[in-house]
Amino acid sequence: AQSVTQLGSHVSVSEGALVLLRCNYSSSVPPYLFWYVQYPNQGLQLLLKYTSAATLVKGINGFEAEFKKSETSFHLTKPSAHMSDAAEYFCAVSESLQKLVFGTGTRLLVSP
Amino acid sequence: KAGVTQTPRYLIKTRGQQVTLSCSPISGHRSVSWYQQTPGQGLQFLFEYFSETQRNKGNFPGRFSGRQFSNSRSEMNVSTLELGDSALYLCASSLFGQGADNEQFFGPGTRLTVL
């Protein structure tokens, strides 16, 4: 069965620093992988998705993620954090027609 | 294009009562999925409806049920509410449903508090 593990329930960075949010997946077939962001009192918004077209995926707001099959990882990065990036981030995996399975989320805190 | 809307946004109920939540998907989307979000359990999939048929179901008791209407609007019902049902209930719509690379668009959620 597919699953996702997000390491670190909270990540703190300073404004302008590199953001790295970790995601490892488990899937019996080539997966589809997603990163979603949730701002306070809002629903989830898609940041980016991996669909096997390219291993480095660029998303909105300057985020990108790299699919590494050998490491079963799909870590999310952003070169320079902004205060507005403070939110909760969810990694998710899907196999073919199976339901979307979410990780437990990582809350990103950005300090000035 | 209007996004996914959920009503009501906030709800307070007492144990034993029942509740109905509503979700209106993006125009043209035929799939509606429901999720429960709690601090302890994270995001858990409840069920998915596609063209008025339940297509996928998560591991929730039968007290949780749903339906979808011909206009793709969906309702979720929880009967005999328990304290543990307090959560943010999120609805998501998509063109083709769960799976593959189909993007799901989420509504703002309904925050249910059970006293």
Side-chain angles (χ1 to χ4, degrees):
Chain A
Q2 60 207 29
S3 65
V4 168
T5 301
Q6 290 185 245
L7 294 174
S9 58
H10 292 80
V11 169
S12 295
V13 299
S14 299
E15 194 171 21
L18 171 73
V19 175
L20 170 61
L21 304 183
R22 299 178 186 274
C23 172
N24 288 88
Y25 69 91
S26 171
S27 176
S28 57
V29 297
Y32 298 96
L33 294 159
F34 306 78
W35 274 101
Y36 281 86
V37 61
Q38 185 179 33
Y39 298 101
N41 298 316
Q42 294 187 28
L44 277 69
Q45 178 184 6
L46 182 68
L47 273 178
L48 49 82
K49 63 181 179 182
Y50 166 74
T51 60
S52 78
T55 56
L56 183 63
V57 182
K58 293 187 184 299
I60 62 172
N61 302 338
F63 284 94
E64 62 182 38
E66 186 172 8
F67 173 71
K68 291 186 176 180
K69 184 178 179 181
S70 60
E71 299 176 8
T72 60
S73 69
F74 190 56
H75 301 330
L76 182 70
T77 60
K78 181 174 180 177
S80 176
H82 192 272
M83 296 295 290
S84 61
D85 294 327
E88 189 151 22
Y89 292 79
F90 293 91
C91 183
V93 64
S94 171
E95 294 176 0
S96 186
L97 294 177
Q98 297 304 308
K99 61 183 183 290
L100 200 57
V101 175
F102 287 89
T104 51
T106 297
R107 186 168 297 280
L108 177 64
L109 307 168
V110 183
S111 57
Chain B
K1 195 182 236 186
V4 178
T5 58
Q6 292 187 246
T7 56
R9 291 293 310 278
Y10 301 91
L11 207 49
I12 298 176
K13 293 285 187 178
T14 56
R15 278 181 299 174
Q17 287 187 307
Q18 77 163 23
V19 67
T20 299
L21 312 182
S22 181
C23 172
S24 292
I26 291 172
S27 177
H29 285 192
R30 297 163 63 189
S31 167
V32 172
S33 297
W34 289 90
Y35 297 86
Q36 181 195 65
Q37 185 178 21
T38 60
Q41 301 296 320
L43 272 157
Q44 292 190 289
F45 171 73
L46 280 154
F47 29 65
E48 180 205 2
Y49 285 87
F50 186 86
S51 294
E52 302 180 65
T53 300
Q54 189 180 88
R55 192 159 74 170
N56 270 314
K57 190 176 187 304
N59 298 321
F60 277 81
R63 297 186 298 108
F64 292 82
S65 63
R67 59 177 175 169
Q68 187 179 34
F69 302 96
S70 58
N71 62 358
S72 293
R73 189 177 71 84
S74 177
E75 288 181 347
M76 191 192 94
N77 186 274
V78 188
S79 62
T80 320
L81 284 166
E82 300 177 359
L83 294 179
D85 297 333
S86 294
L88 180 67
Y89 290 88
L90 292 165
C91 160
S93 78
S94 68
L95 273 172
F96 304 116
Q98 296 254 355
D101 63 346
N102 299 321
E103 180 179 351
Q104 293 192 53
F105 295 82
F106 283 80
T110 293
R111 183 160 300 278
L112 172 65
T113 302
V114 182
L115 303 176

